[in-house]
Amino acid sequence: MRSWSLMIVLLGLCLGPVAAQTRQATVSGRGNIRFGPSTQAPVVTTLEDGTTVEVIGPVAGKDGWYEIRFPPQGGAWVHGRNLAQTEDPRALRVTQDGVRVRDDARLRSNLVTQLDAGDIVTWKGRMVDGQWAGITHGGWYKVHPPGAVAYAHRIVLDFGREAPPQVAAREADDDAGTVAGAGGSRQLSPIERTWRNARTLYERYRTAVDADPQRALELDWQGLVDRLDRVVEDHGSFRTRLLADSLRKRVGKIAWLARKHQSERGIEPKRDIPELTGSADEPEPVDEPALAAVEDLPQRVPEEPRERQQPPPAQPQPQREPQQPEPKPEPVREPPVAVTPEPEPPRVEPEEPTVVAEEEAVPALPSLEEDSYRAIGWLEPRDVPGTSANYVIIDSTNEIEALVKVADGAGIQLAEYHWRRVGVKGEVEKVTIERGGQASEAALVHITAIDLVNR
């Protein structure tokens, strides 16, 4: 009984926050619920007329399809090596992080979701002679993963008197006027203006850290963090929110160092330092390498103390001791400084490296593109004439965001990710494809890493 209560609490924690954003619909007639937003996707279960389902929202780029909470009537498959029994025979505990849930009891079947150690899933089955007979197949267990989603077409859903939810319009790039595009100029939106400003500041400040890490601490790093916070909270594009959150985490430590530095010295945060960040008013983000100069700092700082350990021991000189103000290096530097012969009074320079070691420990900041996904969207099998790609990633408007193929030696099975929202990393090659009867440039990603990307 206690294990059932625990499972209910865990499921409540898992489902509670999302459930508040869902709305209910009923199944009209008998309707297939599928693992993906496609009639080619395998069927999770077939629900009877009048069955209530929780609708999360419409699937971007997939007209007529809705994402729903994974129905209790349906099941997916997890290998038994990743599961452990609990006191309740119907509840199984996941034993590892990143456990993959699939739509079939086969290693290369499509991914449904991923689970972490400690997650509780319901083992599908029935009572037989007072014992729970769970469904298994060749070492695979059929389970109900509470955090997963499934898909239903509009034709099988009845929203009653309420209008079905709509896909939110995608926002433009900026709001400071208009941006020219293939379809002419368009009005720019406030949140995209914030995002553009945040990217511009990030690149400027990154350049400043490269040029002079100490002076870069005078910049308004907290202002950059505030802009990234707004983008993470309000932007309509998941890909943009993901990148903004990544930048926010990278900048967080520097912002803390900057606040401490400015507070101790009474410095007013500067929006810009032209000699460090460049003089252009609105520079476009550039793809520069990570900060090699900053990465060298940790190696340079300890070198001087090691050099001072070379001289042989000599009579200590008490008058030299007051020249060691910083406590951290004292255990290492006190003997060498004390043994320094009389001709070395200028060796007060240890004070400089000590300050540098403390104040210039500024983390390196990569360019905007480094370590970020090259494309995010729905993975679909599609042959693209004139290229070697046989998969594409489509965006929220059902347009091709990128062509993809597995890089040599990567060992990734793209067939596992059919109909899933994914993020991919790898080298990008520019290719020419035909769109609407006209040749256009597109990105072909040679995938080295792929992840499931959930809302």
Side-chain angles (χ1 to χ4, degrees), residues 15 29 37 41 53 64 79-80 88 108 110 122 159 165 234-235 241 268 298 307 340 343 396 399:
L15 295 178
V53 295
H79 200 276
D88 190 311
R108 295 304 182 193
N110 299 320
T122 303
F159 290 93
D234 300 334
H235 202 283
R241 294 199 305 271
E268 190 71 24
E307 286 176 9
T340 304
S396 60
E399 294 292 328

Side-chain angles (χ1 to χ4, degrees), residues 55-132:
V55 179
I56 298 171
V59 179
K62 292 287 187 177
D63 286 346
W65 287 93
Y66 289 85
E67 192 174 61
I68 68 171
R69 181 75 51 228
F70 199 91
Q73 298 90 334
W77 297 85
V78 179
H79 200 276
R81 65 172 175 267
N82 301 312
L83 299 171
Q85 293 280 353
T86 65
E87 295 178 11
D88 190 311
R90 290 179 253 197
L92 301 172
R93 180 177 292 105
V94 179
T95 58
Q96 301 180 52
D97 286 335
V99 170
R100 297 185 171 189
V101 181
R102 300 185 181 273
D103 65 5
D104 200 354
R106 293 177 295 125
L107 185 60
R108 295 304 182 193
S109 55
N110 299 320
L111 292 179
V112 175
T113 188
Q114 288 178 282
L115 302 170
D116 291 326
D119 287 347
I120 302 293
V121 295
T122 303
W123 191 5
K124 307 292 291 186
R126 59 192 180 92
M127 296 297 295
V128 177
D129 297 330
Q131 299 291 325
W132 184 252

Side-chain angles (χ1 to χ4, degrees), residues 166-376:
Q166 302 295 318
V167 178
R170 190 170 58 174
E171 293 185 287
D173 286 336
D174 204 320
D175 74 337
T178 58
V179 157
S185 62
R186 62 176 186 247
Q187 190 65 33
L188 304 169
S189 65
I191 192 61
E192 283 294 339
R193 176 62 176 172
T194 301
W195 173 227
R196 174 168 292 190
N197 285 341
R199 287 185 301 167
T200 299
L201 283 178
Y202 179 87
E203 286 296 338
R204 284 181 174 178
Y205 290 6
R206 189 172 69 86
T207 303
V209 171
D210 187 24
D212 188 337
Q214 182 65 36
R215 285 204 63 199
L217 293 177
E218 299 176 12
L219 290 165
D220 186 13
W221 291 93
Q222 186 57 47
L224 174 56
V225 171
D226 293 342
R227 285 174 174 81
L228 292 170
D229 282 340
R230 282 191 56 201
V231 175
V232 172
E233 291 296 323
D234 300 334
H235 202 283
S237 164
F238 178 84
R239 182 183 182 186
T240 300
R241 294 199 305 271
L242 194 70
L243 181 54
D245 187 53
S246 173
L247 296 181
R248 180 175 62 175
K249 290 174 182 175
R250 294 182 185 281
V251 169
K253 183 176 180 181
I254 302 182
W256 180 84
L257 289 171
R259 288 196 303 271
K260 181 173 179 290
H261 178 84
Q262 293 162 8
S263 173
E264 290 175 351
R265 289 158 180 77
I267 298 173
E268 190 71 24
K270 297 179 176 64
R271 170 68 184 267
D272 211 350
I273 303 178
E275 61 269 29
L276 298 183
T277 59
S279 57
D281 290 335
E282 283 293 332
E284 290 297 323
V286 291
D287 189 9
E288 298 175 1
L291 306 179
V294 178
E295 291 174 346
D296 290 339
L297 284 175
Q299 286 78 35
R300 268 191 264 125
V301 173
E303 281 176 8
E304 293 221 46
R306 281 198 288 267
E307 286 176 9
R308 286 171 174 71
Q309 294 174 5
Q310 300 299 325
Q315 186 68 26
Q317 300 181 16
Q319 68 274 18
R320 304 285 299 174
E321 291 179 3
Q323 297 177 7
Q324 309 303 317
E326 296 298 332
K328 289 184 182 176
E330 274 183 2
V332 178
R333 292 182 180 169
E334 201 173 334
V337 172
V339 302
T340 304
E342 193 61 50
E344 268 218 56
R347 264 173 127 112
V348 275
E349 56 178 341
E351 294 182 4
E352 273 189 329
T354 302
V355 176
V356 171
E358 252 186 50
E359 296 186 353
E360 292 191 2
V362 179
L365 291 176
S367 69
L368 285 171
E369 293 301 321
E370 189 171 314
D371 291 334
S372 64
Y373 290 119
R374 297 301 189 180
I376 292 178

